[in-house]
Amino acid sequence: MIELVSLCKRYGRRMAVDELTLHVDRGELLILLGSSGSGKTTTLKMVNRLVEPSSGRVEIDGRDTRDLLPHELRRRIGYSFQQIGLFPHLSVGENVAITPTLLGWEVERVATRVDELLRLMELTPEVFRDLRPDQLSGGQQQRVGLARALAAEPEVVLLDEPFGALDPLTRDRLQRSFQKIRRELELTAIFVTHDMVEALLLGDRIAVLHHGRLVQVGKPEELLRVPADDYVRELMATPRRQAAVVERFLRSESRGSENP
């Protein structure tokens, strides 16, 4: 479905993405995982031509993205990114409705889709539909950005830290909601995160980037069992440590309940 072939992005002497080749199957969620500066967001932006590659190519459904006008390409791809990018002069509902409206959807269909997605994002339409972005918290703005990315029922979705500004409980609920809708709609998605636990929970496969290069790609259990190098091993150590701490607390609680 999505092919990245020898993809490179150079800024002066610095290589932000270096000879990246990846394949994303139809209906798959591929996680791009790595620390800040690893090339995750640059890669995502090259998929929909917000950033043009220095060399290499991107294909979607067998078609080179350079054969499409950038605005035509972006209307086919849902995109939720870190900076959110809501239009400040438009209401929440109008922000979510932008792409379906540009695609010529009927007004009633657009309104129904907007309310459906706001409810999915736990934003009551009657309360939030007519608010402006500056009347929302950062987490609420992020949810509106995700709703906008899904609004036109795209086959491909690009997500850059879409749950990063949310509190843990809301983040968990929306992660589960997103997984459900992704599978129902058979979305093909590339998801950027630096959160190892999120990567393990959500990804069908995980691609680890380090200094712009692909270090390892595989299913979550493969990265946990057989890390390719010390960098991947260090990344995977974090969720292991967290799980071990929780397990110790649970064992302690269990012993306490047995000895009142």
Side-chain angles (χ1 to χ4, degrees), residues 8-249:
C8 295
K9 183 60 186 179
R10 186 181 294 103
Y11 294 102
R13 295 183 178 180
R14 184 175 73 86
M15 188 70 84
V17 177
D18 190 359
E19 291 290 332
L20 178 60
T21 295
L22 277 172
H23 172 78
V24 187
D25 289 325
R26 186 178 298 276
E28 180 181 32
L29 190 154
L30 177 75
I31 298 284
L32 294 183
L33 176 67
S35 56
S36 298
S38 62
K40 307 184 300 297
T41 294
T42 301
T43 298
L44 206 68
K45 289 181 176 180
M46 285 193 284
V47 174
N48 71 351
R49 295 185 61 189
L50 282 173
V51 169
E52 295 289 352
S54 301
S55 60
R57 69 183 188 275
V58 177
E59 295 181 4
I60 296 179
D61 226 3
R63 187 171 184 183
D64 193 319
T65 57
R66 293 171 297 188
D67 294 338
L68 294 168
L69 293 173
H71 70 273
E72 291 177 349
L73 173 67
R74 290 171 201 144
R75 288 177 189 177
R76 298 174 51 188
I77 298 174
Y79 188 35
S80 175
F81 50 100
Q82 286 172 312
Q83 290 80 17
I84 304 169
L86 300 180
F87 294 103
H89 62 289
L90 299 181
S91 69
V92 164
E94 289 167 338
N95 266 281
V96 177
I98 285 174
T99 302
T101 301
L102 289 172
L103 292 173
W105 286 24
E106 294 181 359
V107 172
E108 185 176 335
R109 183 186 177 195
V110 172
T112 299
R113 181 64 171 163
V114 167
D115 285 0
E116 174 186 65
L117 286 167
L118 290 179
R119 290 191 188 94
L120 181 66
M121 299 300 151
E122 301 181 359
L123 299 169
T124 306
E126 293 76 15
V127 175
F128 289 94
R129 187 194 302 120
D130 297 323
L131 297 181
R132 300 283 179 174
D134 63 4
Q135 296 175 288
L136 307 178
S137 69
Q140 289 167 343
Q141 290 183 30
Q142 200 163 28
R143 281 181 267 174
V144 174
L146 180 55
R148 185 176 63 183
L150 299 172
E153 300 175 352
E155 289 187 351
V156 174
V157 180
L158 308 177
L159 304 137
D160 192 352
E161 303 276 3
F163 307 120
L166 303 178
D167 65 86
L169 291 177
T170 303
R171 182 172 183 158
D172 178 65
R173 287 196 301 271
L174 289 183
Q175 285 173 342
R176 286 184 280 117
S177 294
F178 174 71
Q179 283 287 61
K180 182 174 180 290
I181 195 171
R182 179 181 75 84
R183 291 186 174 118
E184 286 177 352
L185 299 179
E186 297 183 336
L187 294 176
T188 304
I190 301 178
F191 188 116
V192 163
T193 185
H194 64 269
D195 185 321
M196 279 68 75
V197 174
E198 183 170 67
L200 293 169
L201 290 174
L202 296 184
D204 295 314
R205 287 187 304 141
I206 300 172
V208 180
L209 301 183
H210 188 45
H211 297 314
R213 298 190 66 87
L214 179 65
V215 177
Q216 185 173 3
V217 60
K219 295 180 179 180
E221 57 270 24
E222 293 172 347
L223 271 67
L224 281 166
R225 286 201 310 264
V226 192
D229 64 7
D230 289 342
Y231 178 69
V232 180
R233 188 174 294 107
E234 184 180 353
L235 286 178
M236 294 299 107
T238 299
R240 287 184 182 279
R241 283 194 298 268
Q242 292 172 341
V245 170
V246 171
E247 181 62 27
R248 284 200 299 273
F249 284 144

